[in-house]
Amino acid sequence: MRFSELFVPCRTNKKNSTKQKKYDYCGCSEEIISGLNVRLMQEKTEWIPFEKSPYSGTQYSHAMEVSVLCRKIVHRVFENESFSDSDMSDCSDISDLLFCASMISSAGKPPFGYAVNTALSEWFDEDFCKLCFAGVPVGDILSTDMKNDLSCYGGVRRALRNALRYSDGDIRSSCPIIKTILHSASDITERKPFLAEKEAVYDMDRSVGVRSRKPPVSYILEASEYIVSVTSAIEEAIYNRCLLCRQVLHFFRNMDDFYEDIEMDEYDSYCRITSSLSDRYIESRLERKNIDDFEAFHNWIVYLRREMGSFVADSFVRNYEKITSGEFEGDLISSSWCRNVKKVFDECEKQIYSAHDVLMSISSSTEILKALVSGFVRAVISYDTDEKMTVKSTRLTELIPSGYRKVYSESSQGKSEPEKLYLRILMALDFIFGTTDKKALELYRTLTP
């Protein structure tokens, strides 16, 4: 699949209509920016909600940073004289597409940041087997695919469901955006839509004749998402004193895992990045004796992102033919000097996740999410059935906004009882994952007075 294959006209959703229209990514971006999901993203922590910290990135700021990096990479790709796609004259459509995809994909994350992504799987392993409907264990009612969806809810698949079920028509019918989001997941299991959206995604593929091969732009979104996520996490950890600048510098200086066949200029690139951090750190310490590490580190992060973005663009151009033919394996930042930067990032994350403040924040946030999932899933099990609901279950179900209940009502028409049960649980999870940090805490206090 080449760039140009993402921009074929799409058929309208009207029955018996053969009219076609071109994707309007500018219109989609306006719709996204003005939508409720974006407003909620501004009140949801991206990584870890450090208590009383003025420097905590939101999911909105993260999506904007990813889209900016994507745009820079795309511009560098088209400026490269070695790159050619005869059907693409400029990069504006691709940049707009990636903006839409980055904003939508960020909506798939839970409140309290991606560091608590394991909360749902922990609840599923511990409490799901205890749920019963009409005296029968829920696990015996649902199919294997349904249970897999519930245990792996969140991330890209949640973002895809959010775009298809809770967005207006322009986004729902935009196959390029949906496919870009779906294939940007690093985990291959996340590249499969939920059972509830499987038919819609496959119909979309058939309607435009786009093959199932991974779109080229997904590689750019995947790399940008990784670079921004990890650098932002480390930067926040530096600010909150969970990691020190000199520790990061130590990791870079002691990383010597270079293959013998690496080009000298590639090795020099890694050395320049290490020297840049060292120079900025030493300079800041000499100028102000009591300075913390944050200002120097922030300036270096900007430089590092720019260098890694340039590497991703060059790597994309070098491998473009393999990418378009489906022969390319892996990602764009697991080779050359970027491979070693990733290993440094891994060492930094180990250090961060062993910090006391981080562990406390993750632990408390995880317990809040698990309590919400347990309470609301139990409440909706008997919803829209002949089974009698308790007063508490009725009250909790009524707390779920009407929009979520409307989507359930529409999608459950003509479905079997196991499918309806599956959709009810998805409704509860949609609500919990779509709420803000503040709202989630309020709901938790309602459940545990």
Side-chain angles (χ1 to χ4, degrees), residues 180-373:
T180 299
I181 295 170
L182 194 61
H183 287 279
S184 65
S186 56
D187 187 348
I188 194 170
T189 59
E190 286 196 20
R191 296 177 188 171
K192 297 179 180 179
F194 288 137
L195 189 62
E197 283 70 56
K198 189 174 182 179
E199 184 177 348
V201 172
Y202 289 167
D203 284 347
M204 189 178 292
D205 281 358
R206 288 193 294 268
S207 68
V208 297
V210 178
R211 297 189 297 270
S212 59
R213 192 173 295 155
K214 184 174 181 176
V217 287
S218 292
Y219 289 95
I220 296 175
L221 180 60
E222 178 185 12
S224 300
E225 177 74 30
Y226 173 80
I227 292 170
V228 173
S229 294
V230 180
T231 54
S232 296
I234 295 175
E235 191 174 12
E236 284 188 41
I238 291 285
Y239 184 88
N240 290 282
R241 309 297 292 176
C242 299
L243 184 69
L244 300 178
C245 187
R246 63 174 178 268
Q247 291 177 303
V248 180
L249 183 58
H250 171 77
F251 291 142
F252 268 94
R253 285 174 171 171
N254 287 273
M255 181 57 65
D256 57 358
D257 184 21
F258 287 98
Y259 293 135
E260 295 180 358
D261 59 348
I262 191 171
E263 298 292 337
M264 183 55 66
D265 60 338
E266 295 176 343
Y267 179 75
D268 289 342
S269 296
Y270 182 86
C271 292
R272 284 198 305 272
I273 288 173
T274 305
S275 298
S276 174
L277 176 58
S278 177
D279 293 343
R280 293 169 193 267
Y281 175 68
I282 293 173
E283 181 181 355
S284 68
R285 304 297 285 189
L286 290 175
E287 288 181 355
R288 285 164 290 208
K289 294 182 179 179
N290 296 323
I291 189 176
D292 60 22
D293 300 333
F294 181 71
E295 184 176 341
F297 193 80
H298 172 74
N299 295 332
W300 177 76
I301 283 291
V302 174
Y303 166 74
L304 177 61
R305 285 185 181 178
R306 183 170 63 247
E307 290 296 308
M308 294 189 74
S310 298
F311 176 85
V312 168
D314 295 342
S315 179
F316 182 87
V317 173
R318 286 196 306 270
N319 296 287
Y320 186 61
E321 293 304 321
K322 288 185 177 180
I323 288 173
T324 55
S325 64
E327 299 175 4
F328 184 75
E329 298 180 357
D331 56 62
L332 297 175
I333 51 176
S334 291
S335 60
S336 186
W337 58 270
C338 272
R339 179 187 68 246
N340 280 27
V341 173
K342 287 185 68 176
K343 291 183 178 180
V344 171
F345 287 164
D346 291 341
E347 292 298 319
C348 290
E349 286 192 314
K350 290 178 184 177
Q351 186 73 24
I352 293 169
Y353 287 114
S354 64
H356 178 267
D357 289 351
V358 172
L359 291 174
M360 290 295 293
S361 179
I362 292 176
S363 177
S364 59
S365 300
T366 298
E367 289 306 311
I368 291 174
L369 271 185
K370 287 167 66 176
L372 292 181
V373 171

Side-chain angles (χ1 to χ4, degrees), residues 380-411:
V380 302
I381 282 180
S382 298
Y383 174 71
D384 191 34
T385 68
D386 294 333
E387 293 292 311
K388 185 177 180 179
M389 296 179 65
T390 65
V391 175
K392 181 179 180 180
S393 295
T394 303
R395 178 165 54 87
L396 290 179
T397 302
E398 290 176 349
L399 288 175
I400 300 176
S402 59
Y404 293 100
R405 284 179 276 156
K406 180 181 178 182
V407 168
Y408 161 75
S409 179
E410 293 173 349
S411 58

Side-chain angles (χ1 to χ4, degrees), residues 85-136:
D85 190 330
S86 58
D87 296 319
M88 295 301 298
S89 57
D90 60 70
C91 59
S92 59
D93 277 344
I94 298 172
S95 296
D96 289 340
L97 184 156
L98 284 168
F99 171 81
C100 295
S102 62
M103 295 299 291
I104 293 174
S105 62
S106 289
K109 299 167 185 173
F112 304 121
Y114 71 81
V116 298
N117 270 341
T118 59
L120 183 58
S121 59
E122 288 180 16
W123 170 83
F124 191 88
D125 293 338
E126 296 169 4
D127 296 333
F128 182 78
C129 60
K130 303 175 185 177
L131 298 178
C132 290
F133 173 66
V136 181

Side-chain angles (χ1 to χ4, degrees), residues 6 19 24-25 44 49 73 76 78 176 184 223 269 271 319 421:
L6 283 171
K19 184 179 179 180
D24 178 16
Y25 296 106
K44 296 173 72 174
I73 292 173
R76 185 175 175 90
F78 276 81
S184 65
S269 296
C271 292
N319 296 287
L421 175 58

Side-chain angles (χ1 to χ4, degrees), residues 120 123-124 128 138-154 157 193-198 411 415-426 429:
L120 183 58
W123 170 83
F124 191 88
F128 182 78
V138 171
D140 293 342
I141 300 174
L142 302 180
S143 68
T144 301
D145 288 339
M146 293 175 183
K147 288 184 284 188
N148 288 339
D149 283 355
L150 299 177
S151 64
C152 300
Y153 183 90
R157 304 170 86 197
F194 288 137
L195 189 62
E197 283 70 56
K198 189 174 182 179
S411 58
K415 301 294 185 181
S416 64
E417 288 305 318
E419 289 174 313
K420 288 183 178 180
L421 175 58
Y422 161 73
L423 292 173
R424 289 197 295 274
I425 297 176
L426 279 183
L429 297 180

